[in-house]
Amino acid sequence: MMSTINTSACTTEPSLQKSELVEKEEKEHYDDVAEAEAEAEADDSEKADNEEMRRQMGELPTLAFLPQHRRQLLRLLDKLLSFHQWADAARVISLLLQSSPTGTLTEIQLRRLFMAICEIEKRLGDAADFHHEVKRRLGEYIEQMISPSMNATAKLELANFYFSQGEYQEAYGEVKKAQMAWSHENLAQDTHGKGNPFMNLTLGMICYKLWYKNAIPEDMKIQRSDVIGPAWEERGIFDSDLEAGFEGPSVFLARGLDTRLLPIKLRPMYEDIEICIQKYRQLADNNVYEEGVQCLRNALHSSPPKSASLDALEPLIQLLLLGDRVTDAGAELVKACFQFDYSAIPFGLRARFVECFAPKEVNTISSCYQAALKIDATCSSYVEGLVKIHGNRNTSNEHSIMVLLEMIPRHIDAMVPSGDLVGLVGRDCVGREVKTSVWQELASCFLTVSNYFQGRIMSEILSERIVRATWKTRFRWWKEKHFRETSLFSQATISEQACIAGSSNTESTLPLLPGDDELLAHKAACACHLYGPSDEYVVQALNLLNIRGNNDDISFLEMHMQSALNFCGSVGSH
């Protein structure tokens, strides 16, 4: 029994020694593996750091974001832009473009980034680090897009942005690329070879600005302070010059040509007029000028007409007149009046054009202004143009009176007074939207009719059933909107209280502003012709003018009251 136990003990001892040896070897192996893994991890970390550094330096491409990460960054970009954090927004855009392989950003997302880049560039300019890098990366996106139409649209938007920043040369390059991309995509549809009207408009405007910037001498360019006023100076042109028989009309021979038609300051002429005109016309002997004219013409005459078509009219007329192509400009305006008979713009431009180059064609000028007013009755410049032609108070010109009595009320119909008067919040305005000169001209028309044409003109108006019905409606509308006596009663009450209180400066207590006395007198004069001299509005207006003590306006109103037409009573009796 004992021998058996001893034998087992002897066999167990070597087994234990063997197990310890195995465990030791396994431990050493695991330590070696762990050490190797640690070394490998350290190498990987160092390698990753090196790769990240190289990515930041642009030597390696940035790892792509997941779609949800891009959406989060776009939301962050919107917030930064809304809070005007332009620099931070620029960093987000840079990160988005670096981490989004081509094709991962949608058209909508690219458009959002493009508009954001445009806004940031306006705010930060070339000082921002992202300026050139972001534009380069965005350009790569655009170039590699699958859809040529989207490529063309993006290039066109980029060209418009450069144009808005005054970078005309860069804008020219981008719009030419857009034009090529569009032509490649729409070659079969462009049967007339005129191209896209929006691209033509953009390219035409860019060529216009490029030519104006590079070809026009600095002393002839229009500055901001010169926007209003004539384009010509006193150049010493006499009637003999106008009758010299120079071949073809010229801007040098026009009178009163404003900067809306000719945005330039013509130099005084100290030499022969023909030599001056020939020298000036040489400025337009330029390929960029010709390309601008052709593109604007293509945009204007696109079929079917687009919104860009009408937008091209005014710059085309300006460019033609800048090149002294007066005959071409006149022909384009005639065609535009037929092509865009739904818009007042071509009629208004043609009226001004004929006024400057053919002032004796009164019927053409008048018909253009009337056509413009029938389309857009809110434009006071059209009314002023008609008044300039017909408002000479010639007692034998019954036609002029009829034209003004039709067109001036049409303009007033379209004007709605604002709800507040400065200095009297909550009260009705006395008609500040309708110019004083318009009320004055209407009152003068009524006075002329009362003194010279009352029988003939009144009978002509009353014989027309539609015209008579229009005036009946107009009487009620104007009474409610332009001739409300409640506001005048309140003003008169304030003025009387100021006088009773013995105020030494009653002008400061009155709600009317400087120049309102004249406006009130002319409005009241119209009211007395419409509703009679005993109308409440007329009485209150005269009372207010007496309190303010403006004798000239009082005399003007009293003269009209003595010759009141009482138009409403005459129409109402029929």
Side-chain angles (χ1 to χ4, degrees), residues 97 110 114 117 133-142:
L97 289 176
L110 274 174
F114 173 79
I117 289 170
E133 180 64 19
V134 167
K135 285 199 295 187
R136 181 183 68 81
R137 291 185 180 275
L138 190 61
E140 292 175 358
Y141 267 97
I142 295 172

Side-chain angles (χ1 to χ4, degrees), residues 301-461:
H301 300 298
S302 60
S303 181
K306 306 287 185 181
S307 59
S309 303
L310 186 57
D311 292 340
L313 177 60
E314 188 169 328
L316 175 60
I317 299 304
Q318 290 179 353
L319 197 54
L320 289 172
L321 290 180
L322 284 168
D324 205 23
R325 300 183 180 181
V326 177
T327 303
D328 292 345
E332 291 292 349
L333 284 171
V334 172
K335 289 188 286 186
C337 288
F338 287 100
Q339 183 178 357
F340 306 103
D341 57 357
Y342 55 85
S343 173
I345 294 175
F347 293 100
L349 287 175
R350 190 184 177 207
R352 288 291 300 120
F353 177 87
V354 178
E355 276 184 319
C356 297
F357 291 99
K360 294 182 179 180
E361 296 185 14
V362 176
N363 292 336
T364 301
I365 300 170
S366 177
S367 62
C368 286
Y369 277 131
Q370 290 182 59
L373 268 173
K374 290 176 181 178
I375 299 170
D376 180 14
T378 62
C379 185
S380 59
S381 64
Y382 300 152
V383 179
E384 292 168 351
L386 276 177
V387 169
K388 183 179 178 181
I389 299 171
H390 297 289
N392 56 10
R393 299 284 73 76
N394 188 338
T395 57
S396 63
N397 196 343
E398 184 177 338
H399 172 72
S400 293
I401 299 298
M402 290 296 296
V403 169
L404 293 178
L405 281 179
E406 179 186 358
M407 291 299 154
I408 293 179
R410 185 187 292 267
H411 169 67
I412 298 175
D413 288 343
M415 308 299 283
V416 179
S418 60
D420 297 324
L421 175 67
V422 177
L424 193 63
V425 179
R427 302 293 184 181
D428 287 331
C429 178
V430 293
R432 205 174 299 276
E433 286 79 0
V434 180
K435 289 186 176 181
T436 302
S437 59
V438 175
W439 290 114
Q440 179 183 12
E441 188 61 33
L442 182 60
S444 298
C445 285
F446 284 142
L447 186 62
T448 303
V449 171
S450 176
N451 292 334
Y452 301 102
F453 305 117
Q454 182 168 358
R456 295 197 301 273
I457 290 183
M458 291 299 294
S459 61
E460 185 172 344
I461 292 176

Side-chain angles (χ1 to χ4, degrees), residues 220 231-238 241-242 246 248-257 262 264-283 321-326 356-357:
M220 299 177 70
W232 50 272
E233 302 174 6
E234 292 297 329
R235 300 188 303 276
I237 300 180
F238 301 98
D241 295 321
L242 299 177
F246 184 80
S250 172
V251 294
F252 280 84
L253 307 180
R255 296 294 184 180
L257 193 59
L262 185 68
I264 199 173
K265 293 186 293 185
L266 296 176
R267 292 169 174 169
M269 293 193 298
Y270 299 111
E271 52 187 340
D272 183 75
I273 184 173
E274 186 171 352
I275 296 176
C276 290
I277 293 175
Q278 291 293 354
K279 285 182 178 179
Y280 176 76
R281 288 179 176 177
Q282 290 175 1
L283 297 175
L321 290 180
L322 284 168
D324 205 23
R325 300 183 180 181
V326 177
C356 297
F357 291 99

